[in-house]
Amino acid sequence: MPLLQVEDLTTHYRIQRGWVRAVEGISFNVEQGEAMGLAGESGSGKSTVALTLLKILPSGGRIRKGKIIFQGRDLVPLAEKEMRQVRWKGISIVFQGAMNALNPVYKVGFQIAEAIKLHEPEVSGHEVNERVARLLETVGIEASRADNYPHEFSGGMRQRALIAMALASSPTLLIGDEPGTALDVIVQAQALKLLKELKDKLGLSMILISHDLSIIAETCDKVAIMYAGKIVEYGDTLSIFKNPLHPYTQGLIKAFPSIKGPRTRLTSIPGQPPDLLHPPPACRFNPRCPYVMDICKKEEPPLREIEKGHLVACHLY
Amino acid sequence: MENPEKQAVPEAPVREELLRLENLKKHYPLRRGFFETLVSRNEMTVKAVDGVSLSIGKGEIFAIAGESGSGKTTLGKVLIRLVQPSGGSIFFQGKDITRLTDKQMKPLRKEMQIVFQDPFESLNPRMIIKEIIAEPLRVQRLAKSEVEVEQRVKKALLDVELVPPEEFLYRFPHELSGGQRQRVAVARAFIVNPSFIVADEPVSMLDVSIRAEIVNLMVDLVRKSSASIIFISHDIALAKHISDRIAVMYLGKIMELAPAEELVDGPLHPYTQALISAVPVPDPESKRTKDVISGEIPSPVDPPQGCRFHTRCPYAHERCTLEEPLLVEVEKNHFAACHLYS
């Protein structure tokens, strides 16, 4: 049985003009010790998935249907009090924007300690301090730096401190929401290397959310490509990158200028991502798709297994 | 002690020179408290750009790559005199413009334009698109009549593929998507037919699937008008595909400068090598084997002595800590500032 089983999950945001269909009927699994990548552009709904899994949606956000089965228990009907037991100990998150996620007026060590005390009030003060020191060392920061304020840390160290904080109550599943995005490429490579090491050392399961396919290719075992609130392609990383089937995935991979290989003219996907208040009917990619057919505007393609472990939602197959 | 006089200016190969920088510097003084000024007389400065020499040819696409804090954005602003340099010289079309007053600069402004990174902030939210694009024309008094202004704005909108232009003229920036806004910024830069454009990370705020459109658009406009462009980017992979030459900056200095493909495929400087090997590739089979270099870019207030990269360099030896390497031509048109090659 998978550690996390998401079934037909649908999250919408209520705004004055109607419902923004941010996430629409997505399903995926994360096995124990597995890293899954959730890739997509802004507005694809990937961050909403993260917020939904933890049930920390902003006001107006509503889970309209679906199940989030984590360790055999559906989280959707859980009350806030019960959810608090799941957060941090069960599922934990490293947010995007390492530069701003820490509170500037508290010492870094204090902020990590706070996370422990809040979720495990039974732990003694002495033990909390020891755990903070150990956590910082796990992410490669000297324990003595716990007494520093966030502004005394470099960008990379702040990102590490956030990872340490997310690990405070030894979670089973770690969600990284664009963990490398605001960082320089070398520091980003360091952060991703750390995440990979932690995953192996602590046996963590991971969901890595990123707009950068290369990061997912390097870090994840499995990937789900999201477009306009839906998963359009899903499967193991190797077969998706070697043989992308969905026209959107193909376009997205081609849109990344490769550091290897000869110079070429860059390619893009024409058009704009859709307005999720009024998404296009049937296949949501049809207005931008180079292979669009009549059926694409009438009937929604289901996510089907085309090769072993490789699912795609497209009428071409 | 470095000797800037010895530093040769890396020439643009086979092109007529448009812009030349000689030992250009920009130091920002740090604000200090009253007490600090009493205890220490030493003025502390952030050495954002610290002795950059280069030459850019007519019609050249020149990329400046580097991490945040490398000084690439400051360099872009200094070389079109948006920021006053602290030292060195800027020659534009053979003329020394380093110390021109704002008034003397004004006629040159139509030759030099800039496209900023963030199209959500670089466009005035209270102006309609027509006025945003027409502003350089009005400031420079380049249009004789209102009719001409409108004609040229429409033409500019056509050039950046915002069609039909009539549909965009009277809209506000907030009604446009990020990609469309950046097209407006490009139209505003190109409407005065500049001979030189600085583009500071023009696509880094945009979604991947639309980045290429904007980049291709700029490259085409530059090629068509034979203007030169300085493309400032942290994305060295992107720079490889679009530019003629790339300069890699680190802590205010150029570490390596070469034709784009040569620099990325055969980097000489250990920093460039580290930078390139840190770029993730969309291929799950090429799991990174190389080690990532440790540490982060040091503070530009007090950059390391000798070679600025020696604190993180895997090949650093004693000489690197003492003596600053000059940017020298190691192979034809391929310059590197590293003691491994001198």
Side-chain angles (χ1 to χ4, degrees):
Chain A
M1 176 161 183
L3 174 72
L4 176 77
Q5 217 174 329
V6 172
E7 283 172 21
D8 198 26
L9 189 66
T10 301
T11 303
H12 293 172
Y13 293 103
R14 174 96 206 154
I15 62 167
Q16 252 178 8
R17 292 184 292 143
W19 290 98
V20 177
R21 291 157 166 63
V23 173
E24 189 86 39
I26 66 164
S27 305
F28 62 85
N29 292 337
V30 181
E31 307 286 338
Q32 184 68 48
E34 187 179 55
M36 192 190 89
L38 207 52
E41 298 177 90
S42 43
S44 64
K46 56 192 192 307
S47 291
T48 300
V49 172
L51 300 179
T52 307
L53 294 181
L54 285 159
K55 300 223 296 178
I56 47 174
L57 287 163
S59 66
R62 202 89 39 87
I63 302 174
R64 301 292 294 272
K65 63 176 190 214
K67 286 185 184 152
I68 305 168
I69 301 166
F70 178 68
Q71 293 176 324
R73 183 163 67 147
D74 187 5
L75 303 183
V76 175
L78 287 194
E80 180 59 21
K81 204 174 148 202
E82 291 167 297
M83 259 325 278
R84 238 174 256 165
Q85 297 303 310
V86 177
R87 289 182 202 132
W88 238 297
K89 273 190 246 171
I91 309 176
S92 182
I93 185 163
V94 182
F95 281 108
Q96 169 173 17
M99 309 312 271
N100 311 319
L102 289 164
N103 187 332
V105 301
Y106 292 110
K107 289 175 180 169
V108 174
F110 176 84
Q111 296 187 51
I112 299 173
E114 208 180 15
I116 302 173
K117 285 187 221 155
L118 199 66
H119 293 88
E120 293 167 73
E122 68 283 357
V123 179
S124 74
H126 178 72
E127 201 187 321
V128 168
N129 289 342
E130 232 167 53
R131 270 197 22 208
V132 170
R134 245 194 354 257
L135 283 164
L136 285 175
E137 274 163 11
T138 318
V139 297
I141 298 176
E142 279 172 53
S144 61
R145 300 293 298 262
D147 281 334
N148 284 165
Y149 288 94
H151 77 266
E152 295 171 281
F153 275 24
S154 66
M157 283 169 76
R158 275 182 242 181
Q159 181 69 71
R160 283 163 191 272
L162 282 181
I163 294 172
M165 196 187 282
L167 297 175
S169 294
S170 319
T172 333
L173 175 66
L174 183 70
I175 303 175
D177 188 1
E178 301 269 9
T181 303
L183 303 171
D184 277 314
V185 52
I186 291 177
V187 182
Q188 174 186 295
Q190 293 165 352
L192 292 173
K193 194 171 155 222
L194 173 70
L195 278 179
K196 255 189 283 184
E197 285 167 3
L198 289 175
K199 178 184 154 248
D200 296 340
K201 206 163 76 187
L202 309 174
L204 279 174
S205 308
M206 256 175 21
I207 298 180
L208 198 70
I209 296 172
S210 180
H211 70 285
D212 191 337
L213 287 175
S214 344
I215 286 179
I216 287 178
E218 289 199 345
T219 331
C220 298
D221 312 303
K222 205 159 79 181
V223 55
I225 311 278
M226 285 192 75
Y227 182 77
K230 303 211 174 213
I231 292 179
V232 294
E233 191 158 2
Y234 173 64
D236 70 277
T237 313
L238 201 63
S239 69
I240 287 192
F241 281 90
K242 286 287 160 208
N243 183 23
L245 293 173
H246 199 284
Y248 176 66
T249 316
Q250 293 169 352
L252 200 59
I253 291 177
K254 263 193 258 159
F256 277 94
S258 169
I259 192 111
K260 293 180 180 161
R263 275 156 63 106
T264 49
R265 190 169 167 89
L266 304 172
T267 55
S268 57
I269 305 172
Q272 300 281 338
D275 173 8
L276 293 178
L277 263 175
H278 311 286
C283 173
R284 289 185 172 186
F285 188 58
N286 83 62
R288 298 174 80 185
C289 184
Y291 311 112
V292 63
M293 304 173 287
D294 269 349
I295 186 171
C296 305
K297 295 172 191 161
K298 289 181 194 135
E299 218 176 287
E300 179 161 353
L303 194 63
R304 266 191 314 239
E305 188 159 13
I306 302 294
E307 312 165 356
K308 195 177 161 3
H310 190 160
L311 289 76
V312 64
C314 180
H315 287 305
L316 286 175
Y317 307 99
Chain B
M1 196 48 210
E2 65 184 292
N3 184 353
E5 271 67 46
K6 258 166 61 193
Q7 177 73 67
V9 177
E11 303 291 338
V14 274
R15 281 179 197 270
E16 197 184 331
E17 183 175 89
L18 180 77
L19 181 91
R20 183 185 184 83
L21 308 179
E22 286 179 6
N23 197 29
L24 193 66
K25 288 182 182 172
K26 177 66 199 175
H27 295 178
Y28 289 102
L30 273 188
R31 231 185 356 184
R32 296 191 301 168
F34 172 69
F35 185 70
E36 275 174 281
T37 55
L38 292 183
V39 277
S40 151
R41 295 191 143 256
N42 294 343
E43 179 93 2
M44 302 249 280
T45 55
V46 175
K47 295 165 188 70
V49 175
D50 204 16
V52 166
S53 300
L54 55 86
S55 159
I56 289 164
K58 280 202 175 125
E60 187 174 15
I61 299 180
F62 189 92
I64 298 177
E67 295 175 275
S68 39
S70 63
K72 56 190 193 303
T73 294
T74 305
L75 179 62
K77 286 183 181 162
V78 172
L79 56 83
I80 58 169
R81 290 283 319 274
L82 283 182
V83 171
Q84 182 60 35
S86 332
S89 315
I90 310 164
F91 297 90
F92 182 70
Q93 295 173 331
K95 185 178 166 195
D96 187 347
I97 62 163
T98 324
R99 267 162 257 292
L100 294 188
T101 61
D102 284 353
K103 211 171 162 190
Q104 290 168 314
M105 271 305 290
K106 195 176 165 191
L108 284 172
R109 291 276 173 224
K110 66 172 182 290
E111 302 290 329
M112 309 171 161
Q113 290 290 315
I114 185 162
V115 176
F116 291 102
Q117 175 173 18
D118 187 348
F120 294 84
E121 296 199 345
S122 69
L123 305 180
N124 187 335
R126 302 181 62 172
M127 279 163 82
I128 54 169
I129 302 305
K130 180 185 163 193
E131 288 309 311
I132 291 172
I133 298 177
E135 204 174 18
L137 289 180
R138 297 196 198 281
V139 171
Q140 294 283 351
R141 298 178 200 284
L142 290 174
K144 288 180 205 74
S145 64
E146 258 324 285
V147 180
E148 193 189 338
V149 169
E150 182 150 339
Q151 269 172 1
R152 288 186 66 173
V153 171
K154 278 186 188 165
K155 162 94 176 31
L157 283 168
L158 277 175
D159 285 344
V160 297
E161 293 155 23
L162 286 175
V163 282
E166 292 76 17
E167 212 175 274
F168 291 92
L169 283 177
Y170 297 99
R171 286 162 87 176
F172 285 96
H174 72 87
E175 297 171 72
L176 307 186
S177 69
Q180 288 172 332
R181 282 184 225 204
Q182 202 58 307
R183 284 171 193 267
V184 170
V186 172
R188 174 175 63 182
F190 278 90
I191 197 164
V192 289
N193 300 320
S195 50
F196 181 59
I197 291 138
V198 173
D200 187 3
E201 302 265 17
V203 295
S204 66
M205 306 282 287
L206 305 176
D207 262 319
V208 181
S209 72
I210 53 171
R211 272 182 204 175
E213 287 176 25
I214 307 286
V215 169
N216 288 339
L217 175 77
M218 293 182 77
V219 169
D220 293 345
L221 283 172
V222 165
R223 296 284 189 224
K224 215 159 63 187
S225 64
S226 69
S228 312
I229 187 165
I230 287 202
F231 199 90
I232 298 169
S233 178
H234 68 282
D235 187 345
I236 201 163
L238 181 65
K240 172 183 173 178
H241 291 278
I242 60 163
S243 59
D244 298 314
R245 285 188 299 158
I246 301 177
V248 175
M249 280 186 80
Y250 185 76
L251 278 177
K253 291 227 171 232
I254 293 181
M255 304 309 253
E256 186 161 0
L257 194 164
E261 217 164 353
E262 210 179 307
L263 185 125
V264 175
D265 294 345
L268 294 174
H269 199 288
Y271 174 63
T272 318
Q273 291 168 357
L275 198 62
I276 288 168
S277 76
V279 175
V281 282
D283 177 5
E285 274 178 334
S286 83
K287 298 271 186 223
R288 225 172 296 176
T289 44
K290 276 163 281 180
D291 268 334
V292 188
I293 60 163
S294 60
E296 286 171 58
I297 194 162
S299 158
V301 176
D302 187 19
Q305 290 289 309
C307 172
R308 293 179 180 206
F309 186 58
H310 85 254
T311 51
R312 300 168 74 191
C313 182
Y315 311 106
H317 48 279
E318 203 193 342
R319 190 174 164 208
C320 305
T321 63
L322 303 170
E323 193 186 322
E324 180 151 11
L326 293 172
L327 193 62
V328 290
E329 190 163 11
V330 181
E331 292 159 14
K332 189 159 169 35
N333 294 326
H334 193 150
F335 297 79
C338 178
H339 287 311
L340 290 176
Y341 306 100
S342 57

